[in-house]
Amino acid sequence: MKRSSGVRLCATVAVGALSLALITDCSDGGSKDAGDGKGGEAGQPAAKALSAAELKKLILAKGDVTGYKVEAVQGGTPAKSAVKADDAQCGPLLRVMTGIAPGDAATETNRTVQEDKKDPTDDATSMADLTDGKFEDALKDSMDRDTTVVVLSSYDGDGAEKAMRSVSDAVKACAGGFTGDQAGDRAKFAKVAEEKSSGTGDASVAFAATSDMEDGDTAPVHVQVVRHGNNLAPYTTVNIGAMMAEKAYSVPGAVVTAQAAKLK
């Protein structure tokens, strides 16, 4: 890949809105039971959603994940009404990849969790002074870090099970790809493929959505959604350096494990 095409791919990933919450730094298919949509055992009181204050105490915070920085999502999160798939059945996938909880969450919050490692360009005199080949390598290395938006949401009654089921059903229904609007930016995904989930929580589903750049380039986004009782924890991960190098990556297990530990 030439220097100009490397810069172009990074820019295309951004304007293509793979996930509005993730590109600010530019810088048995394996799932557990996704939930049966029922509200709990007979005779048991309906689940009550956590308050916003309770949820914020449970979302990942600074120091919770070794080797990662935890920060507020830059730029905020768009309104759910501004994120809409052309096929409504694919809406839960598009919302999760935009940092929005699926279904009808009573409360929700989110954080950006980014792999914390030294930027290889820190030792370079100037990126502009590098030759094309070295510039491309430095650009890939500097962006080769997993960046995950973690959304934590809580639901009343059987809302979490229903939301989980909507994601699981959408993974299957939208396998051939889908299009939609993310707060004014068009998103086009060529395919959606179920992946092996971590197996944490009461139910989980994982998938990769491959973005179609319409110029021969594609870029995968990896997502995992885990249910813990009446709470959901979706994780959406991008690694632009890995995309540019056509290197495999996934939702970091350390992030999923750390968030699961706070929800026990």
Side-chain angles (χ1 to χ4, degrees):
M1 188 181 287
K2 297 179 180 179
R3 171 175 176 169
S4 59
S5 62
V7 176
R8 178 184 55 74
L9 176 57
C10 183
T12 304
V13 168
V15 301
L18 277 177
S19 173
L20 298 182
L22 288 168
I23 50 84
T24 55
D25 287 316
C26 190
S27 74
D28 251 89
S31 64
K32 291 178 66 178
D33 178 15
D36 58 11
K38 297 178 181 179
E41 296 181 8
Q44 296 297 317
K48 179 71 174 176
L50 296 174
S51 68
E54 290 172 322
L55 211 58
K56 287 182 179 179
K57 290 180 180 178
L58 293 174
I59 189 78
L60 286 174
K62 182 178 179 180
D64 284 341
V65 194
T66 303
Y68 291 81
K69 295 185 295 184
V70 181
E71 301 175 325
V73 173
Q74 298 300 310
T77 305
K80 184 177 291 189
S81 60
V83 179
K84 186 176 182 180
D86 295 333
D87 181 345
Q89 198 166 199
C90 303
L93 305 185
L94 192 60
R95 287 172 181 164
V96 165
M97 289 188 287
T98 315
I100 299 173
D104 298 318
T107 52
E108 64 182 281
T109 188
N110 55 33
R111 294 290 184 273
T112 297
V113 184
Q114 186 178 66
E115 195 173 359
D116 190 10
K117 60 182 184 181
K118 183 179 180 181
D119 189 332
T121 60
D122 288 346
D123 295 329
T125 303
S126 170
M127 287 285 279
D129 293 335
L130 298 175
T131 63
D132 281 355
K134 289 185 178 180
F135 176 91
E136 188 68 28
D137 290 341
L139 185 63
K140 290 177 185 177
D141 289 344
S142 67
M143 295 182 176
D144 185 8
R145 63 190 72 202
D146 294 331
T147 302
T148 303
V149 163
V150 181
V151 180
L152 189 57
S153 53
S154 193
Y155 301 76
D156 288 318
D158 62 356
E161 289 94 332
K162 288 181 177 178
M164 190 76 189
R165 177 63 66 187
S166 73
V167 175
S168 181
D169 289 348
V171 170
K172 297 177 178 66
C174 307
F178 67 95
T179 55
D181 186 84
Q182 287 179 303
D185 288 318
R186 289 296 294 171
K188 182 178 181 181
F189 293 91
K191 63 179 180 179
V192 176
E194 188 170 4
E195 298 186 314
K196 183 175 177 60
S197 68
S198 64
T200 58
D202 300 308
S204 59
V205 63
F207 65 92
T210 300
S211 181
D212 182 354
M213 303 302 184
E214 298 184 338
D215 58 1
D217 281 323
T218 59
V221 179
H222 295 276
V223 181
Q224 187 168 164
V225 182
V226 183
R227 182 173 68 81
H228 300 266
N230 62 321
N231 307 307
L232 289 189
Y235 307 83
T236 300
T237 301
V238 298
N239 184 320
I240 293 174
M243 291 177 185
M244 294 174 67
E246 298 183 353
K247 183 176 71 174
Y249 72 97
S250 61
V251 175
V255 175
V256 177
T257 298
Q259 182 60 79
K262 297 193 73 168
L263 292 169
K264 288 183 178 178

